[in-house]
Amino acid sequence: MTVRSGSRMDEGAYVLITGASSGIGAELALLYAARGRPLVLWGRNAERLENVAVRARSLGVTVHTRILDLSDGAAAIEALRQDDDSHPIDIAILAAGLGDMRRGSDVVERAEDVLHLGLVNYATPSAMAAAAAERMATRGRGHIVLISSVAAFHALPFAAAYSGSKAGLKRFAEAQQMALAPLGIGVTLVSPGFVDTPMSRRVVGAKPFLQTAPAAARRIARAVDRNRPHLVFPFVFSVLRLVDTLMPWPFKRRILSAIKADQMD
């Protein structure tokens, strides 16, 4: 772990952001730095994470960084507790995640890929949210943000591991919201559509209603400010979600089975 200090708000009100080395996580780091919030940033790529940290420090805030692979859930729990001991976390934004799908040349998804996505997209962020809640409960305040996906609303045969892991995270967030509300802790579930990030750029084909990462970060921060329980964007996906709930399963199955998708390695 590396530590460097800025000039203001060095103590308290820390914002933890995982997946901060690129995409939505990086944009959230810069947004909260511009607000004067000290940061704890996690990522897998040391060079990219340090680049984000340098930009945040230039805005005058303290930034602490940690390199960690979230496939090791036990290490992530311990790291969160260590960071909270030194820098009490007021907002925990668990933005790290993986996107993957069955390639067009594959007959089925690889078992190892299914396990990896389950750990990084569901098991570890859920466990980290629980660890953050333990600490926040003693302080009587705090906010947890879990990043799911609109893919959680649909059974995607070409991305069973991805949609399944995000659906699990969605259900966990909904349950945690109810459990933590009496303790003064907010939980915001975020379900974005396509966002222009390195992960989405691997997808081959159309990306309808594509959002920029800075725009996504602004939406998420506003949702936290307003203590919104669930943010879905763009709005059209809220409409599609309603249609999905009303459509009979045989029709849904036929439509979903006809969708073709692929990604670059």
Side-chain angles (χ1 to χ4, degrees), residues 12-237:
Y14 277 87
V15 179
L16 165 68
I17 304 173
T18 68
S21 57
S22 65
I24 295 174
E27 295 298 335
L28 282 165
L30 298 175
L31 187 155
Y32 277 102
R35 292 184 175 190
R37 300 295 295 266
L39 302 171
V40 178
L41 304 181
W42 290 19
R44 287 185 300 161
N45 186 292
E47 182 178 357
R48 290 203 303 264
L49 186 63
E50 183 59 21
N51 287 339
V52 174
V54 167
R55 293 173 65 190
R57 290 180 189 121
S58 71
L59 297 172
V61 297
T62 294
V63 180
H64 305 263
T65 63
R66 183 183 290 275
I67 307 302
L68 189 70
D69 186 342
L70 295 187
S71 60
D72 188 341
I77 293 170
E78 179 59 25
L80 185 146
R81 289 170 175 161
Q82 290 175 3
D83 284 350
D84 189 75
D85 284 340
S86 303
H87 327 293
I89 295 164
D90 188 52
I91 301 175
I93 303 178
L94 307 179
L98 294 174
D100 206 355
M101 67 178 67
R102 187 184 70 212
R103 276 69 166 178
S105 58
D106 293 339
V107 177
V108 297
E109 291 182 90
R110 294 177 65 249
E112 292 82 1
D113 293 340
V114 174
L115 175 61
H116 196 201
L117 263 69
L119 291 170
V120 175
N121 287 354
Y122 168 67
T124 296
S126 296
M128 289 182 64
E134 291 172 357
R135 299 303 183 90
M136 292 175 179
T138 65
R139 297 188 284 267
R141 70 177 193 278
H143 203 102
I144 297 167
V145 181
L146 291 161
I147 309 292
S148 181
S149 167
V150 295
F153 306 152
H154 311 288
L156 303 178
F158 55 85
Y162 180 73
S163 60
S165 64
K166 292 298 189 179
L169 190 67
K170 172 181 175 294
R171 183 54 57 89
F172 175 86
E174 291 168 343
Q176 194 183 47
Q177 286 166 358
M178 292 184 285
L180 298 183
L183 304 178
I185 303 168
V187 178
T188 295
L189 170 68
V190 180
S191 299
F194 284 109
V195 179
D196 188 18
T197 65
M199 182 172 72
S200 68
R201 291 173 202 140
R202 296 173 58 206
V203 177
V204 177
K207 303 178 185 71
F209 312 107
L210 183 69
Q211 304 283 293
T212 67
R218 290 192 296 270
R219 287 175 179 265
I220 293 168
R222 284 198 299 269
V224 174
D225 293 342
R226 298 169 184 172
N227 195 23
R228 285 186 60 176
H230 194 185
L231 170 66
V232 182
F233 66 90
F235 177 74
V236 67
F237 285 104

Side-chain angles (χ1 to χ4, degrees), residues 223-259:
V224 174
D225 293 342
R226 298 169 184 172
N227 195 23
R228 285 186 60 176
H230 194 185
L231 170 66
V232 182
F233 66 90
F235 177 74
V236 67
F237 285 104
S238 295
V239 177
L240 292 175
R241 181 188 182 193
L242 177 61
V243 171
D244 180 77
T245 60
L246 298 175
M247 185 180 295
W249 171 242
F251 291 101
K252 285 196 289 188
R253 179 170 179 158
R254 182 177 299 178
I255 292 170
L256 292 170
S257 297
I259 298 174

